[in-house]
Amino acid sequence: MKVIRPQMELEIKRKADILVVGGGPAGIGAAISAARLGKKVLLLEKRGFLGGNITACYVENCNHFLKGTPFHSEGLYKEIEQKCYEIYGNDNIREKNKMAFHSEYLKIFLDKFMKENKVEVLLHSFVNEVITRRNQIEAVIIQTKQGPEAVSAEIIIDATGDGDVAFGAGLPFEQGREKDGMCQPGTVNFRVTGAHTEEMKGERLSEISNIFTKESKEGRTGLVCSKQDIPFGRLTKAGQISYVNYSCAHGIDPTDIEGLTRGEMECREYILEIYHYLKNQFHELRDIEITSIAPEIGFRDSRRIRGEYYLTIEDMESDRQFDDAIAVFPRFYDMLPPDGTSSGNGKVEGKGYDGHIFEPIVDERTFQVPYRALVPAGINNLLLAGRCISADHVAESGIRAISLCMMMGQAAGAAAVLAVQDRVKPADIDYKKLQEILRKQDISLP
């Protein structure tokens, strides 16, 4: 059976110089960057709050991998991290990452931050349709409880993570591994309270994590989920562990509602089993209870939109130098096994077909992200920011870092401003001007 969707004429009620779709780290970077350069910016977010995976999925410990290395946070990420810490503090008795975000306070901070920087925000605005004409996006359509609404802008920035705008415009993309299209698993984090903090001496949570990993690899946990590590978030004086990162659902298409439904339900089953395991195995956690489950399943990769340049893992491993570089980031890769296999040695050479990939920072090794990877091929007024940029699957395991997504957002926002000011397509901006703007925004470039 089929139905015919009636044609509908929509008045464009909202216009902006620059439209940013997606209020996660990349969208935040893009919106603030463009607004501070004097343009009218509208930010659309499908949820009821900003922050993306930090707030929706409890991924608070974003730049933990920089500790003990020569690297530090940069740009807007550094500014937000410092201001949040100064305003709200952090009731975290762990030494592992004192600057970890408190995701609930971050929601409030970002509301105020957008107002201070004159960014117009529309929450509960899911973009699921794009109107194009002659390689140009004329409007995006958001679904509201009062029906569809059309929004237009001179330049649109797709910071949805899943490349929803680019997909709606019919642009080519890749998803998952090259051979079978499998993506990394989806995860539903959760919070517990009731930990006996007076008994949690030193880095006891790290010790518990190590014990779990050892028992899991030896097949002694009796748990169904195949994940063999269990990162923990902040530990507060009140006995709250701000996130438990364990429950993973494999073999899911992050853009398919049937897969998403299965993943949410499956992960909640895994949450219950790991909760009982922790409660029964560790005396300090004997009285914990689940206080909240993340509002939605979080994914590490999905669509990657084809752009003017296709960033490869070989580019990153060789630290290829780009004339149009918009970010330099420490060499760090993190990919959970798409097929759930627990084999492999964690090396990048496995390319996601031989277990997980985990390559920590070594010395001062870096990689660069070129501006052209943010410019999609086929639409003249669209830019990409975040994990949906043009890159191969293994390269994405490095560029998906939250702080780097925000840096890419800053670059996209500044590039959009240059395109509007110079009346050129984003592909034709002067990238030397862009790099100068980014340096003034506290982004380190060659």
Side-chain angles (χ1 to χ4, degrees), residues 342-357:
S342 58
S343 63
N345 58 10
K347 296 298 182 183
V348 72
E349 287 80 9
K351 293 195 172 185
Y353 298 98
D354 186 21
H356 71 290
I357 295 174

Side-chain angles (χ1 to χ4, degrees), residues 312-319 331 333 348-349 365 367:
T312 68
I313 188 60
E314 288 76 21
D315 290 334
M316 294 162 69
E317 279 293 84
S318 64
D319 190 18
R331 176 190 177 273
Y333 309 119
V348 72
E349 287 80 9
R365 291 184 64 180
F367 61 80

Side-chain angles (χ1 to χ4, degrees), residues 215-273:
E215 289 190 351
S216 182
K217 289 183 176 180
E218 293 172 355
R220 295 193 289 117
T221 64
L223 303 181
V224 176
C225 182
S226 64
K227 195 165 186 282
Q228 294 187 336
D229 68 327
I230 183 168
F232 294 105
R234 295 173 295 110
L235 175 63
T236 73
K237 293 175 184 177
Q240 182 190 71
I241 301 172
S242 68
Y243 68 80
V244 182
N245 180 341
Y246 168 74
S247 55
C248 284
H250 291 84
I252 290 174
D253 178 348
T255 66
D256 173 66
I257 57 172
E258 289 186 3
L260 291 170
T261 301
R262 176 174 72 82
E264 297 275 14
M265 294 181 176
E266 187 177 312
C267 283
R268 284 193 282 269
E269 292 180 6
Y270 296 151
I271 285 172
L272 201 59
E273 70 169 16

Side-chain angles (χ1 to χ4, degrees), residues 360-376:
I361 295 170
V362 177
D363 301 324
E364 296 184 3
R365 291 184 64 180
T366 60
F367 61 80
Q368 295 184 1
V369 178
Y371 170 66
R372 285 166 293 157
L374 278 61
V375 181

Side-chain angles (χ1 to χ4, degrees), residues 100-112:
F101 287 113
H102 185 306
S103 57
E104 303 307 321
Y105 289 147
L106 181 61
K107 292 177 184 177
I108 301 167
F109 172 86
L110 290 172
D111 290 343
K112 296 179 179 178

